[in-house]
């Protein structure tokens, strides 16, 4: 069967929503929790099929954040089962080692129990060198949570960029270089803060002219009022300063603060391409907050 299937096009990435375990257990009159154990065993077989066919990426939706709303005994049982199965994956004879599979856990670590968290960290570390196949296990996961997390990370990055820019101060030596550049009619604009510092220096050195700097640029009205107090060289340099500042402002306005690529690189699933096929094992036609992005 595998030989026949491998002749046709093989998908790069298949995602599974592991669903219907409780209904299966109820239908078969099994004890509580046995349905999930059976589901994990079937998953092992599915992974072997996928890796034999040459599917490089497999993602499984093992545990939703919404599942924490179930009764505490069931949640605890599932956490213990998850810990056990993760540890089994690391055994020498497991398919993880057989196929050189790297494990990625797509999750909010803070929601997991300490034993599961430790197992996740160990499995991620031990398989980090594997590069033939990739298994992504979504635990303590929902797609909306993933998107919110990505946006939050984007905001942190952009805030750091803004704070870094604000820390750049024009020192006396920097002002000296600006002044020398002006005298050579070759002004080098360091930043908008540089413009403000230069104008403040002009004001301090010449009480005849009062200039103010707007937050996003420079106020030209004051200059127009006292235009006669500037030499021709000063006016040329100042006008160039205004034009360069305004040009920078317009460029900043044109570029979105957070772009699509910024969000995508901060998604948990950024480590894999988009799935080619999504399979829900119970047959239900619902996404259940899985890989919505």
């Amino acid at each position: 069967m595998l030989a026949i299937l491998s002749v046709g096009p093989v998908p790069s990435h298949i995602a599974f929503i592991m669903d219907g375990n409780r209904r299966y257990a109820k239908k078969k009159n099994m004890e509580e929790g046995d349905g999930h154990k059976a589901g994990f065993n079937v998953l092992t077989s599915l992974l072997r099929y996928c890796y034999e066919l040459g599917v490089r990426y497999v993602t499984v939706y093992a545990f939703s954040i919404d599942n924490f709303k179930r009764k505490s005994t069931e949640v605890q049982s599932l956490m213990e089962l998850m810990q056990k199965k993760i540890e089994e994956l690391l055994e020498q004879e497991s398919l993880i080692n057989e196929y050189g599979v790297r494990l990625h856990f797509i999750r909010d670590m803070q929601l997991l129990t300490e034993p599961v968290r430790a197992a996740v960290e160990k499995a991620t570390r031990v398989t980090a060198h594997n590069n033939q196949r990739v298994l992504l296990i979504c635990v303590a996961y929902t797609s909306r949570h993933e998107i919110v997390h990505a946006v939050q990370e984007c905001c942190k990055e952009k805030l750091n960029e803004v704070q870094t820019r604000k820390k750049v101060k024009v020192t006396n030596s920097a002002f000296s270089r600006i002044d020398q550049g002006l005298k050579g009619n070759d002004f080098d604009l360091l930043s908008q803060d540089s413009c403000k510092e230069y104008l403040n220096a002009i004001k301090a050195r010449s009480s005849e002219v009062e200039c103010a700097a707007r937050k996003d640029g420079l106020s030209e009205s004051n200059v127009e009022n006292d235009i006669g107090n500037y030499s021709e060289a000063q006016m040329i340099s100042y006008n160039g300063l205004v034009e360069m500042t305004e040009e920078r402002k317009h460029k900043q306005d044109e570029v979105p603060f957070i772009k699509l690529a910024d969000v995508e690189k901060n998604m948990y699933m950024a480590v894999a391409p988009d799935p080619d096929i999504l399979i829900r094992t119970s047959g239900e036609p619902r996404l259940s907050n899985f890989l919505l992005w």
Side-chain angles (χ1 to χ4, degrees), residues 62-63 79 82-90 102-128 135-140:
F63 195 83
M79 288 289 111
M82 195 179 304
Q83 178 191 351
K84 179 182 177 181
K85 293 303 178 181
I86 291 173
E87 291 171 350
E88 286 180 3
L89 287 174
L90 298 181
R102 181 172 183 174
L103 288 171
H104 285 284
F105 291 87
I106 311 301
R107 78 293 182 220
D108 184 339
M109 287 284 281
Q110 302 304 316
L111 297 177
L112 300 174
T113 62
E114 184 58 39
V116 174
R117 198 179 307 153
V120 165
E121 291 174 346
K122 180 182 178 181
T124 303
R125 184 177 65 257
V126 170
T127 64
L135 173 59
L136 300 99
I137 303 176
C138 297
V139 292

Side-chain angles (χ1 to χ4, degrees), residues 35-50:
H36 292 95
K37 293 176 183 178
F40 271 104
N41 292 334
V42 172
L43 172 63
T44 303
S45 298
L46 278 173
L47 290 174
R48 187 174 296 278
Y49 295 150
C50 288

Side-chain angles (χ1 to χ4, degrees), residues 7 34 59 63 108 112 119 163 222 254 258:
V7 175
D34 285 349
T59 298
F63 195 83
D108 184 339
L112 300 174
Q163 290 175 338
N222 291 334
E254 289 173 5
I258 293 180

